[in-house]
Amino acid sequence: MVASAGSKKRKAVTRDVEEEAGAFSGDELAGDLNGALSDSANDLSSDEDDSEVELVDEFSSDEDDDEEDELDSDEIPSDGEDAVQKKSDKLTTAPSDDESSSDEAEVNFRIEKDANGNDRYVYDEINPDDNSDYSDVGENSNTIGNIPLSFYNQYPHIGYDINGKKIMRPATGEALDALLDSIEIPKGFTGLTDPSTGKPLELSQDELELLRKVQMNEIPEDGYNPYEPLMEWFTTEKEVMPLSAAPEPKRRFLPSKHEAKRVMKIVKAIREGRILPYKPPAEQDEEDKDIIKYDLWADEEERPDHIMHVPAPKLPPPGYEESYHPPPEYLPDNKERKTWEQMDPEDREREYLPTDFGSLRKVPGYGEFVKEKFERCLDLYLAPRVRRSKLNIDPESLLPKLPSPEELKPFPSMCATVFRGHKGRVRSLSVDPTGVWLATAGDDGTVRVWELLTGRQLWSVQLSEEEAVNVVRWRPGKDAVVLAAAAGDDLYLMVPSILDPELEKASLELLDAGWGFAASKPAPSAAEEGKRAPPQWIRPSSTLADSGVCAVIPLRYVAKSISWHRRGDYFVTVCPGSSTPASMAVAIHTVSKHLTQYPFSRRIKGGGPPQTAHFHPSKPILFVANQRTVRGYDLSRQLLVKIVQPGARWISSFDIHPTSSTASGGDNLIVGSYDRRLLWHDLELSQRPYKTLRYHRKAIRAVKFHPSGRYPLFADASDDGSLQIFHGSVTGDMLSNASIVPLKVLKGHKITGELGVLDIDWHPREAWCVSAGADGTCRLWM
Amino acid sequence: MLYPVFSGNLLFIMNGPQDSVSAASAQRQVRVQLVSKQEDIALPENTGPILVPTGLRRYALSTLVNNLLGNDKPVPFEFLINGAFLRTSIDEYLTANGISAETTLEIEYIRALIPPLHIASFEHDDWVSAVDVLSATSSAASWASSSSISQGQSRILSASYDGLLRIWNMSSQIVATSPSALDGGHSASIKAAKFLSPTSIVSAGLDRTVRLWKYAESEDGFSGKIAPQLELYGHKSGINSLAVHAPSNRILTASSDHAVGFWSTKKSDAPAAPENLLPSAASRTSKRRKLNSSISTPQRGPLALLSSHTAPVSAAIFDAKDSTVGYSTSWDHTLRTWDLVTAALVDTRSTSHSLLSLEHLPEHHLLATGTSARHITLIDPRVSATTISAMTLRGHTNAVVSLSRDPHSSYGLISGSHDGTCRIWDIRATKTDKDGVVGESVYSITRKSLEEAGKADVKRVGGEGVKVFGVCWDRSVGIVSAGEDKRIQINRGEGVLSSA
């Protein structure tokens, strides 16, 4: 009923629209009609008869004034798709109705009244069989053929369909209008019930219009026109020149008088003080004297990382191999590529092969990227990191503070004189106590005396034709000038003829005094003679005597070392040869008595035959060195007082510090060895060396302290052809150790036959030293 | 050639040949003001700025100055611009120093120093230890007022290690040779020799004697005779050097026996010789005695032996102005001043090195001593002097064993060293560094023997073979040096230092 009411209302509305506003109503009708037409088309295609019938029914009912039924039946097809189902229902019900009717009349039509009141033959619907040939022919198509329709003008139908049924003329507008006009609808009928009153709701035309506007989403306000004529603010026409080319007006260039006035006004106001120029508001320091403010962060510095902070290890920066365009030498050749490809990915040295892409844009995505990053993250996350405390010590700081050699001058630094003349090696040399002469001895069997400064040879003597002179030493002391030399098996004592008569006389007397003692001495007994008879001093041959030789001591063995006692009355010789009987290796000679004694009856224990011996400069101690040790014997008590074990394999020479034991310090000893070591011993400290200096490349042949004590220097001579000068100061303080500073390496001697510098000596006063070389020269260094 | 043309106050120099040489630089000219501090070579006062081409070099400028001065004999000049010697053309100097050619350059000129060119070498048989010169300007000649020596009659005395004295004339001929040991000569090497007068010579050596010789020359001057006159005994060791003072007839010797000998040249003045030092006192065999001279020469002893040195005395000299004052240097590092009248030690100056030679610079009250530490120390011997070493002259590479004054300049000095060079020093050419006032040598004279052997570039260790033992600088003869190369070498000594 509601639906019928709606349709009624719609109809009413339609009509009202038609009457009052033709434009709206036309749209409305067209919309409704379209929908109706489509519906009817569907109806026609499916069951035209039904619709026809219904239409007929409608009109008939209309006629019968059964409004509600008519409207109802009319409403069904217009209600969309639901109607289709209902129609199909009707199709099923309809035949039963037809059968009943056919049963009653036995004719295939029935006569009904049409809208004009004429008889209308209504034939039953023919149900076509499924196998009907005409099923494809449109059921509703007119079958009257090609004749003008005007022939049917007088009939209610306009033709026949395929079933021979009349196609009824559709109702014309006049008929509908006539029908509608016949229906009286109260003014303002809406079909709605006012819920407050229960009476039919009646709406005025204004109210309906308002509703319509609301329904149409239009502005419901009265008098609003959405289509007012356009007022152009800018022109819609296209301009050739969008900007004006007109010249700038003059006023634009003139200073504005108005503005000037305004400005002057402001200026005046400022001058008069009425306007105060803007002043940035001074920061209001509310200095409260009582409150002290502390700037906690005033001197804050960047703090170092926490002590436990361990920075992540950094990846090495990418190299050329990772480059997209590596240098050609980084590119693998085919063989390398093959081996890389054949290798197990786990074994590969690197994850990628260097590839030349030519340009960056050709580089493809790196497939291993995620994996690589993941592994890196794993490394960072899982690898334990430990802070390793590194010991940072400047190695320089560990070195002892040594004074610079410059501060320790003077010391010999340059070769001042070369003494040439010896044929063959110069084996030994010695500077005389006055420091004017130099005595040298060499393989040519001569002993020569030179003027030290100029290198002029002053005197020479040929001691032996074939045997080398092994050692030459001046007798200490200035009261006489005596030179002791060992050539072959003999020792020679000489007075070179370079002296003034007085001194020469004194020297000769010194040497000659012993002849008397020797003569007065009882002849050695037979028993002594057999074993170890001390040699008798003999007079030299006349040629030697003319040359200046005064006495000869036939030692029977080759002496390699001579060392004078400081008083000049004794000297000790050592015959280190292995064939020398142990008891005769060390001999002490007394010049004043022409006496030779063998202090040792047995071999010194350990370390082979004795090598060299020296008297202590102040004490009655004789130091004897064999190959391994240096032993000190107290001559007065005849006791072994010291054993020094330098640790060298074969001692070549040693020297005793000249101020030893006098400056309250202990004895100091330097030992040179054939195994390249120079060892400093402080006898007070230990048997072991205090310092070991290994600076030479070859064996050390000779070591010597500066004899004066004025210069704390010592030097060594080595087979590598160099001399080394050291500063070794001995302090009187027992607590402080000797400081040893290497000063200078003096090079100049040529290495001849594996031998370099064979002997060394110091000038008695100056910091000059002389060296004897295997190259046949001696050199003065100063 | 330069043709100076006066044009008002300006001199325009037209230089013909140089234009073609350096046409471009000759376009530019610069005003120069030539000045000199030496009055004898100064230009006249009214000489204003001169316009010269900038292409000129030292030689052209020197010619110009000679022309301006009107010198007959051209004097070489050196030119100083802003205190630096002009070694390039003026143009290059201006470019190098960014000086505009518009400015007036003030160029100071001084007499050029002439390098001590080698003149001659006299060859010996053995090392030559000392030289002395007898010339018109030598001290021996000046002391002997009676006889004058003409220009060409200069003689050079050389003392050799073979024990002989030789007298050379300037044409490298030996005029006279001293007798050998058997004939009354030195029995060992002579270390020092000096002309006492044109007719007498003093020598001393390793035979510990000082010998006076009479030197007589024949009329033609090509032969002469050295005859022993007096033997002075007293030293117990070799004599290293000697000094003579003819007006007072005194000799000073320095010996290795730590003593300074003070001797008289007059037989009558001298005391008798100490017996124990005479060669006859030697207790050697008869064979040695035969070596002694067969000619008997008067033997005398020293006036005094000044012994307070503790090491060999290396040199002894008389004060150049006061012959009663002597100085001696020793290996004991000291320089000692002696009052010779009383034979007393006046003063001792200790240095840090052995002193090997000595020379007096009287104008500056300085004593120059050569040391074994390869330098020369200038010592003020006066008591008022506060520091021992007034100046150090460095440059030698071996001991400095001989010194001689420049006769032309009071600032000049020559030293002979064992490194085989003689060095000429100007004590004004010094600078002050951490070691005090240090000077550098002006010239270094190497041995001609090395150059002749083609080994001038070979570094000699310790001056081996070319050691210089003695040097003497005479005004007329030049620089005479002697050494281990058995030669006397004469170098030109004139104008070597800029005189003042």
Side-chain angles (χ1 to χ4, degrees):
Chain A
M1 288 307 289
V2 173
S4 66
S7 75
K8 269 186 183 171
K9 177 196 104 185
R10 190 183 293 168
K11 280 174 184 170
V13 166
T14 304
R15 205 171 51 195
D16 280 349
V17 167
E18 273 178 350
E19 286 174 358
E20 293 185 7
F24 296 150
S25 60
D27 285 345
E28 184 83 302
L29 279 175
D32 281 354
L33 277 174
N34 285 335
L37 279 173
S38 63
D39 278 354
S40 60
N42 287 339
D43 289 344
L44 284 173
S45 60
S46 56
D47 43 359
E48 107 188 45
D49 279 4
D50 188 29
S51 64
E52 231 173 65
V53 169
E54 282 169 349
L55 274 173
V56 171
D57 286 344
E58 192 179 85
F59 285 122
S60 59
S61 62
D62 209 1
E63 231 174 49
D64 294 341
D65 284 347
D66 192 358
E67 285 182 12
E68 291 181 6
D69 286 346
E70 284 292 329
L71 279 171
D72 195 14
S73 63
D74 185 46
E75 203 54 38
I76 291 165
S78 67
D79 256 346
E81 287 166 3
D82 292 355
V84 178
Q85 283 178 339
K86 286 179 178 175
K87 273 173 203 164
S88 59
D89 291 341
K90 270 186 184 168
L91 282 176
T92 51
T93 53
S96 57
D97 288 346
D98 288 342
E99 279 168 15
S100 59
S101 60
S102 59
D103 287 343
E104 290 171 355
E106 289 287 332
V107 289
N108 60 347
F109 67 94
R110 60 182 190 269
I111 298 163
E112 288 179 18
K113 293 275 186 185
D114 63 8
N116 293 327
N118 301 324
D119 288 339
R120 185 177 156 204
Y121 300 92
V122 179
Y123 293 88
D124 288 332
E125 202 172 359
I126 296 166
N127 263 340
D129 296 327
D130 284 332
N131 50 0
S132 165
D133 290 336
Y134 307 103
S135 60
D136 55 343
V137 182
E139 284 178 21
N140 297 334
S141 60
N142 205 342
T143 57
I144 56 172
N146 194 11
I147 56 162
L149 273 176
S150 55
F151 294 176
Y152 287 87
N153 278 346
Q154 55 187 347
Y155 302 105
H157 59 277
I158 56 170
Y160 303 93
D161 64 7
I162 197 81
N163 295 323
K165 286 186 180 174
K166 287 178 185 166
I167 299 171
M168 296 309 294
R169 188 183 301 273
T172 57
E174 300 101 84
L176 287 173
D177 287 341
L179 174 66
L180 287 176
D181 286 342
S182 66
I183 301 166
E184 196 67 25
I185 296 172
K187 186 98 172 157
F189 172 79
T190 58
L192 297 175
T193 313
D194 190 349
S196 54
T197 58
K199 288 176 182 173
L201 179 66
E202 289 181 9
L203 295 174
S204 68
Q205 201 60 36
D206 289 346
E207 286 168 334
L208 283 173
E209 180 63 10
L210 187 69
L211 279 174
R212 191 197 61 83
K213 281 185 176 174
V214 168
Q215 204 177 6
M216 297 299 289
N217 284 332
E218 287 173 6
I219 295 171
E221 188 191 346
D222 195 23
Y224 173 76
N225 183 11
Y227 303 105
E228 279 181 55
L230 178 69
M231 182 180 276
E232 280 187 352
W233 296 104
F234 302 99
T235 176
T236 51
E237 291 164 28
K238 279 191 179 170
E239 302 267 353
V240 177
M241 177 77 79
L243 292 174
S244 168
E248 292 267 316
K250 185 185 176 185
R251 64 175 182 278
R252 295 201 183 154
F253 300 99
L254 291 176
S256 164
K257 281 182 182 166
H258 172 71
E259 278 178 9
K261 246 183 192 171
R262 293 284 304 270
V263 168
M264 281 315 296
K265 206 175 167 186
I266 294 169
V267 167
K268 200 181 173 197
I270 290 171
R271 279 187 185 152
E272 286 174 357
R274 281 182 285 124
I275 299 177
L276 290 173
Y278 173 76
K279 206 186 278 175
E283 287 195 8
Q284 296 287 322
D285 284 345
E286 293 179 10
E287 286 285 332
D288 199 339
K289 293 286 187 326
D290 299 335
I291 298 170
I292 304 163
K293 288 178 186 168
Y294 297 101
D295 188 359
L296 294 179
W297 297 277
D299 48 6
E300 193 184 45
E301 287 171 358
E302 199 177 329
R303 275 182 296 182
D305 284 327
H306 187 262
I307 193 138
M308 292 311 288
H309 171 77
V310 183
K314 278 181 186 165
L315 285 178
Y320 286 112
E321 297 147 323
E322 274 110 320
S323 167
Y324 72 92
H325 184 47
E329 61 264 29
Y330 287 92
L331 291 172
D333 54 17
N334 283 334
K335 200 177 149 195
E336 285 170 343
R337 183 182 297 278
K338 216 172 195 177
T339 49
W340 187 85
E341 278 162 359
Q342 281 168 358
M343 226 188 277
D344 191 69
E346 298 249 322
D347 300 336
R348 281 172 187 165
E349 205 173 300
R350 47 180 189 224
E351 297 290 313
Y352 55 90
L353 267 183
T355 320
D356 190 1
F357 291 107
S359 75
L360 198 54
R361 95 191 126 79
K362 293 180 186 165
V363 179
Y366 181 45
E368 299 289 305
F369 180 78
V370 173
K371 187 182 164 218
E372 216 168 62
K373 293 297 147 193
F374 175 71
E375 280 176 352
R376 167 74 174 156
C377 290
L378 271 191
D379 282 350
L380 293 177
Y381 172 55
L382 294 178
R385 292 201 287 274
V386 177
R387 179 178 294 278
R388 190 164 294 161
S389 62
K390 209 157 76 180
L391 205 56
N392 254 336
I393 297 176
D394 181 18
E396 291 292 319
S397 68
L398 295 176
L399 292 173
K401 272 255 182 288
L402 287 182
S404 118
E406 212 47 36
E407 300 164 10
L408 301 173
K409 277 185 171 179
F411 56 85
S413 56
M414 286 175 91
C415 178
T417 311
V418 181
F419 303 83
R420 274 185 210 277
H422 274 290
K423 295 175 187 69
R425 296 173 197 140
V426 185
R427 295 213 171 199
S428 176
L429 49 63
S430 178
V431 182
D432 92 297
T434 60
V436 179
W437 299 305
L438 171 73
T440 61
D443 271 4
D444 56 359
T446 59
V447 171
R448 295 165 195 248
V449 175
W450 313 76
E451 200 176 38
L452 183 69
L453 209 58
T454 57
R456 175 80 182 184
Q457 182 183 318
L458 298 178
W459 180 81
S460 89
V461 61
Q462 181 88 32
L463 289 182
S464 165
E465 285 298 333
E466 57 268 3
E467 300 218 56
V469 183
N470 282 314
V471 59
V472 64
R473 290 289 178 261
W474 291 98
R475 174 186 177 272
K478 291 172 185 170
D479 54 330
V481 176
V482 174
L483 202 55
D489 292 346
D490 299 326
L491 286 178
Y492 298 87
L493 293 175
M494 298 163 278
V495 179
S497 59
I498 50 171
L499 306 172
D500 65 293
E502 204 177 36
L503 197 59
E504 192 171 47
K505 198 172 167 187
S507 306
L508 292 173
E509 276 170 6
L510 180 89
L511 285 180
D512 288 343
W515 296 121
F517 277 101
S520 63
K521 205 172 59 175
S525 65
E528 280 179 319
E529 190 111 26
K531 191 73 179 171
R532 43 179 297 232
Q536 296 293 312
W537 293 32
I538 55 173
R539 288 183 188 274
S541 64
S542 62
T543 49
L544 283 180
D546 284 345
S547 308
V549 180
C550 294
V552 179
I553 310 168
L555 265 183
R556 300 200 287 278
Y557 298 101
V558 179
K560 289 275 175 81
S561 155
I562 295 176
S563 182
W564 283 87
H565 185 259
R566 116 192 99 87
R567 273 200 234 123
D569 199 16
Y570 306 101
F571 64 97
V572 61
T573 59
V574 178
C575 306
S578 53
S579 60
T580 316
S583 59
M584 296 168 75
V586 181
I588 293 177
H589 311 269
T590 313
V591 174
S592 58
K593 294 179 183 169
H594 284 200
L595 182 67
T596 298
Q597 295 163 291
Y598 296 116
F600 297 101
S601 55
R602 269 171 290 151
R603 176 176 287 271
I604 299 166
K605 276 181 216 156
Q611 299 293 313
T612 178
H614 290 293
F615 288 102
H616 190 279
S618 52
K619 289 187 225 164
I621 296 177
L622 175 68
F623 286 96
V624 180
N626 61 10
Q627 286 178 6
R628 302 273 171 73
T629 59
V630 180
R631 285 155 198 261
Y633 298 93
D634 191 325
L635 291 175
S636 55
R637 292 182 288 157
Q638 304 196 333
L639 277 174
L640 174 65
V641 288
K642 275 272 166 23
I643 300 179
V644 178
Q645 292 174 321
R649 266 185 239 140
W650 195 322
I651 293 168
S652 61
S653 62
F654 72 96
D655 197 18
I656 305 151
H657 196 275
T659 59
S660 283
S661 304
T662 56
S664 82
D667 288 344
N668 286 282
L669 208 69
I670 45 171
V671 179
S673 78
Y674 289 113
D675 55 353
R676 298 179 289 168
R677 272 184 272 194
L678 176 65
L679 307 126
W680 178 288
H681 280 273
D682 192 335
L683 298 190
E684 296 292 316
L685 284 177
S686 159
Q687 291 185 342
R688 297 281 166 192
Y690 158 66
K691 270 261 160 56
T692 303
L693 311 165
R694 281 188 72 155
Y695 297 137
H696 279 294
R697 286 182 290 108
K698 295 231 177 116
I700 292 175
R701 290 265 162 190
V703 292
K704 198 79 114 187
F705 275 113
H706 193 278
S708 78
R710 194 196 302 181
Y711 300 112
L713 297 170
F714 63 97
D716 62 352
S718 164
D719 272 350
D720 62 8
S722 68
L723 285 80
Q724 287 180 355
I725 312 293
F726 298 90
H727 179 96
S729 64
V730 178
T731 53
D733 185 5
M734 291 287 273
L735 292 174
S736 61
N737 291 322
S739 69
I740 298 168
V741 184
L743 290 180
K744 185 84 184 169
V745 179
L746 300 174
K747 288 179 183 166
H749 283 290
K750 286 185 197 71
I751 300 170
T752 313
E754 300 278 304
L755 297 174
V757 189
L758 297 179
D759 199 7
I760 195 171
D761 199 11
W762 287 94
H763 188 273
R765 287 182 312 269
E766 298 292 329
W768 304 344
C769 75
V770 284
S771 60
D775 55 355
T777 65
C778 298
R779 282 161 197 262
L780 166 68
W781 308 88
M782 59 194 250
Chain B
M1 249 339 264
L2 300 166
Y3 304 95
V5 180
F6 277 93
S7 166
N9 206 16
L10 282 176
L11 269 177
F12 289 97
I13 311 298
M14 319 290 289
N15 63 337
Q18 286 219 349
D19 272 335
S20 57
V21 175
S22 54
S25 57
Q27 303 292 324
R28 300 177 61 196
Q29 291 191 318
V30 65
R31 277 163 187 261
V32 297
Q33 176 78 57
L34 291 162
V35 292
S36 177
K37 286 177 182 161
Q38 287 154 289
E39 286 172 8
D40 54 336
I41 55 168
L43 288 170
E45 281 295 318
N46 58 357
T47 312
I50 303 169
L51 207 56
V52 297
T54 54
L56 293 194
R57 288 175 178 274
R58 185 203 70 81
Y59 180 75
L61 281 172
S62 183
T63 318
L64 166 66
V65 173
N66 272 311
N67 273 333
L68 291 174
L69 289 170
N71 284 347
D72 294 332
K73 192 180 161 193
V75 178
F77 290 107
E78 283 281 3
F79 295 88
L80 287 146
I81 307 179
N82 293 333
F85 280 111
L86 179 68
R87 289 285 178 256
T88 57
S89 69
I90 298 176
D91 191 39
E92 286 163 30
Y93 176 85
L94 293 178
T95 314
N97 290 278
I99 299 171
S100 162
E102 305 288 322
T103 56
T104 301
L105 274 182
E106 183 160 310
I107 301 183
E108 187 190 343
Y109 60 94
I110 54 171
R111 279 200 183 87
L113 306 183
I114 306 158
L117 297 172
H118 176 255
I119 295 173
S121 288
F122 301 165
E123 298 207 15
H124 288 66
D125 300 330
D126 206 343
W127 300 4
V128 188
S129 57
V131 283
D132 196 18
V133 173
L134 175 68
S135 73
T137 50
S138 69
S139 58
S142 63
W143 286 327
S145 54
S146 59
S147 66
S148 62
I149 294 143
S150 59
Q151 183 69 29
Q153 295 299 304
S154 301
R155 295 288 178 265
I156 295 172
L157 166 69
S158 71
S160 172
Y161 270 80
D162 58 6
L164 299 180
L165 295 169
R166 291 177 181 82
I167 294 186
W168 305 75
N169 63 13
M170 293 310 292
S171 39
S172 79
Q173 288 164 318
I174 300 176
V175 178
T177 308
S178 72
S180 67
L182 287 174
D183 300 325
H186 279 288
S187 60
S189 303
I190 306 173
K191 295 282 289 228
K194 282 257 181 350
F195 275 110
L196 187 63
S197 72
T199 56
S200 62
I201 296 165
V202 184
S203 68
L206 293 179
D207 63 354
R208 303 171 293 280
T209 60
V210 182
R211 287 170 196 255
L212 252 77
W213 308 85
K214 189 172 177 59
Y215 171 56
E217 217 172 81
S218 65
E219 285 300 316
D220 57 1
F222 288 106
S223 64
K225 189 177 183 337
I226 302 175
Q229 203 178 17
L230 189 65
E231 290 179 11
L232 298 171
Y233 290 90
H235 280 302
K236 294 175 182 174
S237 189
I239 295 166
N240 292 318
S241 80
L242 64 81
V244 292
H245 190 253
S248 60
N249 300 317
R250 291 294 182 266
I251 303 171
L252 272 180
T253 56
S255 167
S256 295
D257 63 358
H258 309 182
V260 176
F262 185 49
W263 316 80
S264 168
T265 60
K266 282 196 188 305
K267 222 184 299 178
S268 51
D269 289 355
E275 282 299 320
N276 57 347
L277 292 177
L278 294 180
S280 56
S283 53
R284 288 280 185 178
T285 51
S286 57
K287 194 176 177 184
R288 276 186 60 79
R289 201 163 283 138
K290 273 184 203 158
L291 285 172
N292 292 330
S293 153
S294 56
I295 298 170
S296 68
T297 314
Q299 296 168 335
R300 290 291 181 273
L303 291 174
L305 281 176
L306 317 170
S307 52
S308 67
H309 281 294
T310 58
V313 185
S314 55
I317 56 164
F318 288 99
D319 188 291
K321 288 178 174 166
D322 182 2
S323 65
T324 63
V325 175
Y327 303 104
S328 66
T329 53
S330 162
W331 291 18
D332 64 2
H333 305 186
T334 58
L335 168 84
R336 290 176 201 254
T337 308
W338 305 91
D339 179 17
L340 297 176
V341 178
T342 58
L345 176 66
V346 174
D347 190 27
T348 303
R349 300 260 156 177
S350 281
T351 65
S352 52
H353 302 284
S354 290
L355 305 177
L356 301 178
S357 53
L358 184 59
E359 185 58 271
H360 192 209
L361 302 174
E363 288 86 352
H364 310 289
H365 305 287
L366 287 174
L367 285 164
T369 73
T371 69
S372 67
R374 303 171 279 277
H375 57 252
I376 298 163
T377 307
L378 297 184
I379 298 173
D380 192 338
R382 291 174 293 182
V383 181
S384 56
T386 50
T387 54
I388 288 170
S389 170
M391 196 184 294
T392 309
L393 308 176
R394 294 182 189 276
H396 277 299
T397 58
N398 209 337
V400 182
V401 293
S402 181
L403 289 168
S404 185
R405 274 198 300 269
D406 181 1
H408 307 281
S409 161
S410 64
Y411 300 100
L413 188 69
I414 188 161
S415 65
S417 161
H418 279 179
D419 64 3
T421 62
C422 294
R423 282 176 190 262
I424 297 168
W425 310 86
D426 189 336
I427 62 171
R428 294 167 295 183
T430 57
K431 61 179 195 294
T432 305
D433 66 0
K434 63 177 168 50
D435 298 331
V437 184
V438 170
E440 287 183 358
S441 64
V442 181
Y443 287 108
S444 174
I445 306 170
T446 55
R447 299 305 284 177
K448 192 70 181 172
S449 58
L450 268 187
E451 289 174 33
E452 285 168 6
K455 294 173 185 167
D457 300 332
V458 180
K459 179 107 173 76
R460 288 289 177 128
V461 175
E464 190 192 356
V466 289
K467 286 188 178 77
V468 176
F469 294 133
V471 65
C472 178
W473 194 343
D474 184 76
R475 183 184 282 272
S476 51
V477 175
I479 299 164
V480 186
S481 55
E484 199 181 354
D485 59 353
K486 305 178 183 176
R487 288 175 185 220
I488 294 174
Q489 179 173 324
I490 305 170
N491 288 76
R492 181 195 167 91
E494 201 178 341
V496 175
L497 287 183
S498 56
S499 53

